[in-house]
Amino acid sequence: MSTRSGLALAVAFVGLLGCGGASPASGVTAYLRTSNGQYVPGELSSTSDAPTPTVDLVKSNNTHVFPGALNRTVSGSANPSARAVLLGLEGDSGHWLIPVGGVVDINDVPGDFLFTTSLSFSPDLPPGDRKLFVRAVDKDGVVGPAQILALKVDSSLPRGVLIVDLEWDTQADLDLHVHITPPNVGEMLPNGTPVKAYDVTEKAPTALPPGSHTQAEYDAAGKLLLDSNARCTIDGQHFERLLFDPMAVPPTGTYDVRIDTFSLCGESTARWHVQAYTNTTGTPTPIVAGNGLPLEAYGQSVDRDTVGDHGPVSGVWALSFQWPLP
């Protein structure tokens, strides 16, 4: 794979870009910061009169961000005439000059030059939908048309007496399962129905047979707020959350959290992180394990993890806890 040093060339002509020139400032007052870019004051426009150079591909593992989020990777490729790319957040006070690197040999757009950077977002970033503009620059300082990556900025965590979050880093379809085993599982109810373990996403109250639930019982059983990348319909979220409403009383029992890899959707792997916490007051409090550390787990899904029936108890075990908490 051949390489090209784009940053030195780009800095040499950045004054021609009509954006006020490069600045040695770090961009600490901007909403967006990058890991390997040079800060340029002024919002990056999304309009261009020049048809080239083009950014041909923009990829991100997660387009769902929150104020203060760190190290969110964005990568892509620009056509062979590009020497750098400009990357800026809609409405920001500045943008960033990112070097291009190696040549795309096989995947994506052969012959293009690659770029990659890690994004960090200011804690002051307002919530809402926001666009990320990416534009290529050639050796003469000509700036081409913008590729747009749509971001969703979520400013706050939901309130809940119990919350379990799963996030992962590729375009795979992972599913969050929380399986609850009541302490009296197997015992017979007065109506002759046995108490069974159940998957919380089924919203089946433990002590009642199917079909006789009240709304309060459904709420107490928890709800899945998002089924991301379902059946490989890619939504860019890479995130799932199970929420027990603050007014609900989660069922008593052992909670087993499992990660089911429904499909890798063409990816080779997916690295995941799952955590459990409470947030009834607006201040998230991790559920702690026996060693006093936050109850969380990390793992990696590979092709063999897609095998199975993908039912309530399928997938890889991640963590367990008792409810009510000790």
Side-chain angles (χ1 to χ4, degrees), residues 168 170-173 227-238:
W168 62 98
T170 62
Q171 306 282 18
D173 178 7
D227 183 11
S228 180
N229 292 349
R231 298 187 180 276
C232 296
T233 300
I234 306 303
D235 55 28
Q237 299 295 304
H238 313 134

Side-chain angles (χ1 to χ4, degrees), residues 8-23 38-40 86 95 97 137 141:
L9 291 169
V11 170
F13 61 72
V14 70
L16 302 176
L17 302 184
C19 302
S23 167
Q38 181 169 353
Y39 182 65
V40 182
L86 297 175
H95 57 282
L97 189 75
V137 190

Side-chain angles (χ1 to χ4, degrees), residues 41-115:
E43 181 179 0
L44 179 62
S45 171
S46 62
T47 60
S48 174
D49 295 330
T52 60
T54 59
V55 173
D56 297 324
L57 181 68
V58 178
K59 297 189 296 185
S60 176
N61 289 335
N62 197 331
T63 58
H64 182 276
V65 302
F66 56 90
L70 303 174
N71 300 323
R72 298 298 179 91
T73 299
V74 169
S75 62
S77 68
N79 76 3
S81 65
R83 296 297 184 269
V85 296
L86 297 175
L87 189 148
L89 198 62
E90 178 185 21
D92 207 351
S93 60
H95 57 282
W96 298 85
L97 189 75
I98 309 296
V100 294
V103 177
V104 177
D105 290 329
I106 300 174
N107 298 320
D108 302 329
V109 185
D112 268 17
F113 287 92
L114 300 171
F115 67 88

Side-chain angles (χ1 to χ4, degrees), residues 260-263 302-311 314-316:
D260 180 39
T261 306
F262 187 85
S263 174
V302 294
D303 188 61
R304 64 174 177 270
D305 295 316
T306 63
V307 178
D309 62 7
H310 305 293
S314 61
V316 176

Side-chain angles (χ1 to χ4, degrees), residues 21 24 50 68 103 106 119 127 144 172 177 183 215 218-219 252-253 267 274 284 306 323:
V103 177
I106 300 174
L119 308 182
H177 291 176
Q215 186 61 50
Y218 274 116
D219 293 340
T252 297
E267 302 281 359
V274 64
T306 63
W323 192 272

Side-chain angles (χ1 to χ4, degrees), residues 164-168 173-178 256-262 270-275 297-301 305 310 312 314-319:
V164 182
D165 285 351
L166 167 69
E167 59 182 346
W168 62 98
D173 178 7
L174 271 57
D175 291 320
L176 175 62
H177 291 176
V178 178
D256 290 306
V257 179
R258 307 182 72 90
I259 312 303
D260 180 39
T261 306
F262 187 85
R271 290 174 292 272
W272 51 261
H273 171 226
V274 64
Q275 59 182 335
Y298 295 83
Q300 185 170 358
S301 294
D305 295 316
H310 305 293
S314 61
V316 176
W317 175 86
L319 53 87

Side-chain angles (χ1 to χ4, degrees), residues 3 20 39 64 77 80 130 135 141 146 156 162 175 193 200 205-206 216 228 235 260 283 287 307:
T3 60
Y39 182 65
H64 182 276
S77 68
R130 194 174 288 264
R135 303 176 64 182
S156 62
L162 173 61
D175 291 320
T193 301
V200 70
T206 307
S228 180
D235 55 28
D260 180 39
T283 302
I287 296 175
V307 178

